Amino acid sequence: MKKLTLLLSAVLLLVLLPVRAMAVDIPITSRAAILMEKETGEILYAQNEHEKLEPASVTKVMTMLLTMEAIDAGKLHYDDIVTVSANAAAMGGSQVYLKEGEQMTVEDMLKAVCVASGNDACVALAEHISGVTELFVEQMNNRAKELGMNDTHFVNCNGLTAEGHLTSAYDIAIMSRELLLHHDDIHRFSTIWMDSIRGGEFQLANTNKLIRFYDGATGLKTGFTSTAGYCISATAERDGMELIAVIMKGETADSRNTDAKALLNYGFSTYALVNVTPDESFAPVPVALGTADTVQPQLAEQGSHLLLPKNQVGDLQQSVVVAESLTAPVEKGQKLGELTVTDGANALVTIPITAAEAVPRLTWSEMYVHLLRNAFLAK
């Protein structure tokens, strides 16, 4: 039985391995590229994805991630006031021309970063969150390590050219996925085409032209310096599937966007995301010697999405195996069975079915009372 389980696991692993670059020919002209599906993290295309390159302002995806994490943790609020330092006001490159001592809400600062790629707003946010940019950059690198971004070393928070400031297309996809997967509110900013700050006095236009010209575009961040070339983490959603296309070291803005669109077009035309849900509700499972008579099975949250070639989606079938009965104690999350999705012949994914709640075992005194009650009811 153990050998059979190992064999099935190996088959499933082969079925679910991400499609690599050599599996499809997409005419990408930029140096490095990757296409990732957000929910599953599966890689659909890759080219030089681990090569360490300068990311330019795509760096700001990590700044956006740390900002959103602070907001969602309650450590930062959209209406908090940020006071601009001399250091922030002195930033060159893309900027919203902040002045020393100027005050602006976190929301407007984040808008300036996401839409206009403001280097000055980026530094002002970093200083407000961590006190000094050096500490914020340390937090960026720590977060990168936590996410497994092994090709990455940040030197600043905005992507201005600096020696040793490097990452890869793969790592950019990883941090972009983390931002989109857990902080959906970022779409409020990344999808803005035109807006303003300073009470309407200063107009913003998104540096990501795909927001206006690509169907379903949701963001995320562009970048350019003379040494980094043209970079982008381009995200788009159609039919409930969000894709992340990362391009690094493109020759021109147009070629970068063309490459990103080619990746996104390939993903949307070839794949579909299936949300795996049971065809029928699970019946409660009887529990012996427990404080409750039954426990409710549920589908484990992780693994409930399945990425498939579109030509397989219409032939999916389900089989469910759940324990007929249990003996307490039952732990919350304890495996009770499996739901297997097949295409009729091959198993595509097997998802655990688990206990929705814990059922402790009856104590001796509780068991005695339980027996007396049952004896009384039987009379």
Side-chain angles (χ1 to χ4, degrees):
M1 184 66 182
K2 186 175 181 182
K3 289 182 179 179
L4 179 59
T5 302
L6 290 173
L7 179 61
L8 287 173
S9 297
V11 171
L12 284 173
L13 182 61
L14 288 172
V15 169
L16 297 175
L17 275 175
V19 179
R20 308 303 297 179
M22 67 285 292
V24 61
D25 184 21
I26 302 177
I28 300 298
T29 62
S30 302
R31 175 68 183 177
I34 196 168
L35 178 66
M36 178 182 286
E37 193 281 316
K38 181 192 74 175
E39 290 292 338
T40 63
E42 288 197 47
I43 299 169
L44 308 180
Y45 178 88
Q47 172 182 301
N48 300 323
E49 70 271 30
H50 287 291
E51 184 174 353
K52 296 181 181 181
L53 298 167
E54 296 178 54
S57 282
V58 181
T59 299
K60 295 183 176 80
V61 172
M62 181 57 83
T63 299
M64 292 152 62
L65 174 59
L66 292 185
T67 300
M68 293 305 300
E69 287 180 340
I71 290 171
D72 288 348
K75 299 175 182 178
L76 188 68
H77 304 89
Y78 285 125
D79 56 358
D80 287 351
I81 299 298
V82 178
T83 301
V84 180
S85 69
N87 178 47
M91 289 296 114
S94 301
Q95 56 185 301
V96 292
Y97 304 99
L98 297 174
K99 300 188 185 307
E100 182 180 0
E102 184 177 356
Q103 293 187 320
M104 194 174 289
T105 63
V106 166
E107 177 153 358
D108 278 355
M109 286 289 186
L110 189 55
K111 189 189 300 181
V113 171
C114 293
V115 180
S117 195
N119 293 321
D120 46 2
C122 193
V123 170
L125 264 180
E127 291 177 341
H128 184 78
I129 292 170
S130 302
V132 293
T133 54
E134 290 81 4
L135 181 55
F136 188 83
V137 172
E138 182 180 337
Q139 293 171 338
M140 292 171 69
N141 284 312
N142 289 340
R143 193 71 180 97
K145 288 179 182 177
E146 291 172 357
L147 293 172
M149 296 168 57
N150 299 322
D151 307 322
T152 297
H153 177 69
F154 294 117
V155 176
N156 57 52
C157 64
N158 50 28
L160 287 172
T161 302
E163 186 176 355
H165 187 87
L166 300 169
T167 188
S168 66
Y170 178 85
D171 284 4
I172 290 172
I174 290 294
M175 65 178 177
S176 298
R177 177 177 183 250
E178 183 71 11
L179 177 60
L180 297 173
L181 197 59
H182 300 294
H183 309 282
D184 186 66
D185 209 34
I186 197 65
H187 287 119
R188 248 192 342 115
F189 303 93
S190 64
T191 56
I192 293 172
W193 172 238
M194 301 283 288
D195 209 325
S196 63
I197 54 176
R198 300 189 178 102
E201 294 180 4
F202 189 89
Q203 299 300 309
L204 303 175
N206 204 317
T207 58
N208 181 8
K209 305 311 175 189
L210 298 184
I211 291 298
R212 182 176 180 185
F213 298 108
Y214 189 81
D215 180 30
T218 58
L220 186 61
K221 193 70 202 71
T222 60
F224 168 76
T225 66
S226 58
T227 52
Y230 292 86
C231 308
I232 192 170
S233 177
T235 60
E237 183 173 3
R238 294 181 189 172
D239 298 323
M241 180 175 70
E242 191 164 17
L243 299 177
I244 302 164
V246 178
I247 298 295
M248 298 190 75
K249 212 169 182 62
E251 295 180 359
T252 66
D254 285 343
S255 66
R256 170 195 66 191
N257 292 346
T258 297
D259 285 348
K261 287 189 288 186
L263 290 181
L264 294 170
N265 287 341
Y266 164 71
F268 287 126
S269 64
T270 309
Y271 293 92
L273 187 68
V274 178
N275 185 20
V276 180
T277 56
D279 289 337
E280 298 179 354
S281 299
F282 298 132
V285 176
V287 179
L289 304 179
T291 56
D293 294 331
T294 62
V295 65
Q296 180 60 47
Q298 65 178 7
L299 200 63
E301 291 184 11
Q302 292 196 359
S304 61
H305 290 92
L306 183 60
L307 188 69
L308 293 172
K310 283 189 170 182
N311 59 11
Q312 289 186 14
V313 173
D315 299 323
L316 299 184
Q317 300 173 16
Q318 290 185 9
S319 63
V320 174
V321 177
V322 180
E324 293 182 0
S325 62
L326 299 163
T327 300
V330 178
E331 302 292 332
K332 182 179 181 179
Q334 179 177 323
K335 186 175 177 180
L336 306 182
E338 294 178 335
L339 182 152
T340 301
V341 179
T342 70
D343 61 3
N346 304 304
L348 301 177
V349 68
T350 298
I351 304 171
I353 297 171
T354 61
E357 64 277 328
V359 180
R361 187 182 179 89
L362 288 169
T363 64
W364 285 109
S365 59
E366 288 172 331
M367 200 176 299
Y368 180 69
V369 171
H370 186 72
L371 288 171
L372 286 177
R373 184 185 299 115
N374 286 344
F376 178 78
L377 292 174
K379 290 181 179 181

